[in-house]
Amino acid sequence: MKGKVVLITGATSGIGRACALVFGQAGAQVVITGRDEARLAATRQELEQQHIACHAVRADVGVEADSERAVAETITAFGRLDVLINNAGISMRAMFQDADLGVIQRLMQTNFFGTVYTTKFALPHLLASKGSIVGISSIAGYRGLPGRTGYSASKFAMQGFLEALRTELLPQGVHVLVACPGFTASNIRQTALAADGSAQGESPRDEGQMMTSEEVAHHLLRAVQQRRRDLVLTAQGKLTVFLNKWLPGLADRLVLNHFRKEEGSPVK
């Protein structure tokens, strides 16, 4: 990655922050975005302490102008762009019948349109470098999850967009990777939206048994270096994708039962 420039959205915590450190330690120059000024400054300071060349941009990927500015500042700071990691995302935890429609709209705006906006503005530079576009999706992009209808819809949409884009870009040599980490110890569940759009707060899951964000970042680095097409992580994630493809009726029942058992689950 030496000499490469990597733009990572939503890089102030979790997988995004871990990617900034791992790609930076591999020699990349890193641009990070986030909505929270304090967290952004803290992550930038952490990168600088590791002697990683970096630039921070306060931006909300769901705002088209912010996405355009993030790419423009990347080019101003480092003169090129080699890897775009579309990581910024939010989740939800509510039954669809109870959820405010604004919750679904917010998830689509960040998770889907955030990817579309940033990729659109980054594409001319990635064409020039024959670089990589990475979408951090989810097992929910392969298998709809109860209590996460808006999240699943946004990740299905992201994967469809990136699959179509990958096919369009085959002749131009731009690499497109769809990565599905499975359940990961990150903050996405703490910031998940409840039925009324408020933040959920504490994660209902035991994160001690999950793959860490740092492990995910190392897998992502290798997948980008190898220019892989897809990446599905964790045994549970791989099993879910397999069962949903070959035994979808069984997958329906297993997934329903699994999410019913979650502490404080809205799924009945």
Side-chain angles (χ1 to χ4, degrees), residues 4 6 8 17-32 43-55 78:
K4 303 291 187 183
V6 181
I8 306 167
R17 173 188 158 279
C19 281
L21 287 164
V22 167
F23 278 76
Q25 288 161 355
Q29 300 169 101
V30 177
V31 179
I32 58 172
T43 304
R44 182 185 63 220
Q45 185 177 42
E46 187 176 10
L47 293 169
E48 289 171 345
Q49 287 171 348
Q50 296 273 338
H51 306 292
I52 295 169
C54 64
H55 180 71
F78 296 117

Side-chain angles (χ1 to χ4, degrees), residues 221-239:
L221 174 61
R222 286 193 292 272
V224 168
Q225 290 171 328
Q226 296 165 4
R227 295 176 80 86
R228 288 183 57 179
R229 185 180 188 278
D230 300 290
L231 179 66
V232 178
L233 296 175
T234 76
Q236 184 185 43
K238 291 174 182 177
L239 178 61

Side-chain angles (χ1 to χ4, degrees), residues 182-194:
F183 288 118
T184 304
S186 72
N187 74 324
I188 192 167
R189 279 167 300 283
Q190 282 89 340
T191 57
L193 303 182

Side-chain angles (χ1 to χ4, degrees), residues 45 78 84 156 160 198 217 235 241:
Q45 185 177 42
F78 296 117
L84 167 63
F156 267 77
S198 61
V241 172

Side-chain angles (χ1 to χ4, degrees), residues 118-216:
T118 312
T119 302
K120 178 67 172 179
F121 297 118
L123 188 54
H125 309 289
L126 293 167
L127 285 165
S129 65
K130 296 191 184 300
S132 295
I133 299 167
V134 181
I136 307 299
S137 185
S138 165
I139 299 306
Y142 282 99
R143 161 75 231 183
L145 303 180
R148 279 102 172 146
T149 49
Y151 183 67
S152 295
S154 69
K155 293 302 187 180
F156 267 77
M158 172 198 266
Q159 291 190 200
F161 165 68
L162 291 174
E163 185 175 88
L165 185 62
R166 177 195 291 124
T167 309
E168 288 184 4
L169 295 175
L170 277 175
Q172 287 113 308
V174 175
H175 163 234
V176 179
L177 166 68
V178 175
C180 300
F183 288 118
T184 304
S186 72
N187 74 324
I188 192 167
R189 279 167 300 283
Q190 282 89 340
T191 57
L193 303 182
D196 62 358
S198 61
Q200 171 185 283
E202 289 299 311
S203 170
R205 293 183 166 272
D206 177 8
E207 300 205 348
Q209 303 301 313
M210 296 181 186
M211 183 176 284
T212 67
S213 295
E214 289 71 25
E215 288 177 283
V216 172

